[in-house]
Amino acid sequence: MSALIRIVGIDPGLRRTGWGVIETLGNSLRFVASGTVTSDDKADLASRLCQLHDGLADVIHLHQPDEAAVEQTFVNKDATATLKLGQARGIAMLVPARAGLPVAEYAPNAVKKAVIGVGHGEKQQIHLMLKVLMPKATFQGNDAADALAIAICHAHHLGGAANRLKAMARAAL
């Protein structure tokens, strides 16, 4: 028997951090909410990180997810930009962890593969598949769409883990 699991997917960024909340029960997915937390690009780095922290903490408090999934950072040609993205990603992992949630990490190619079936694809393909998988889903921009895709990727991995545990339990009997 499956349990309803609420997942928050987080697409970290210093300027815009996307978030998406879904529920999964067995193989079914249900859209809950999505959005973007933004920081003031005229503010200093510490203030911007605080803005992301506070915005994500509000999302976690409002939607009460059971688990979180965060996209892994890719290496950029600009070391300074990569470092700043890494700091934003740290906030994206810290907030759900401080709320007591398990936090999973997924590479961008794994997210695309879970949603569109291949590890490389365009943003538009992700948007189209989100509408196929969850017809009631609404999202403003790529950041929120990517966050929903990250949550879906985590839901797919949960299903695989649950099935493996069931198989191991049956084998032990």
Side-chain angles (χ1 to χ4, degrees), residues 61-148:
H61 178 75
L62 178 64
H63 294 288
Q64 298 292 307
D66 301 304
E67 300 190 16
V70 177
E71 189 170 62
Q72 291 176 339
T73 304
F74 61 92
V75 177
N76 210 324
K77 289 180 183 175
D78 178 359
T80 302
T82 300
L83 182 59
K84 288 179 180 178
L85 176 59
Q87 291 168 323
R89 189 170 173 277
I91 296 297
M93 295 179 70
L94 173 71
V95 170
R98 292 288 309 219
L101 305 179
V103 180
E105 302 174 70
Y106 296 98
N109 287 350
V111 173
K112 288 178 183 176
K113 188 169 185 172
V115 176
I116 61 176
V118 293
H120 300 281
E122 301 298 319
K123 297 283 186 187
Q124 194 59 29
Q125 289 176 293
I126 292 172
H127 291 210
L128 291 171
M129 280 307 295
L130 287 174
K131 285 299 196 179
V132 169
L133 294 170
M134 297 180 301
K136 295 182 180 181
T138 58
F139 45 88
Q140 294 290 326
N142 291 334
D143 302 299
D146 287 351
L148 286 170

Side-chain angles (χ1 to χ4, degrees), residues 1 19 27 38-39 45 53 57 64 75 78 80 86 96 121 124 140 144 154:
M1 179 159 178
W19 60 271
N27 290 330
T38 58
S39 71
L45 180 60
H53 175 280
Q64 298 292 307
V75 177
D78 178 359
T80 302
Q124 194 59 29
Q140 294 290 326
H154 185 63

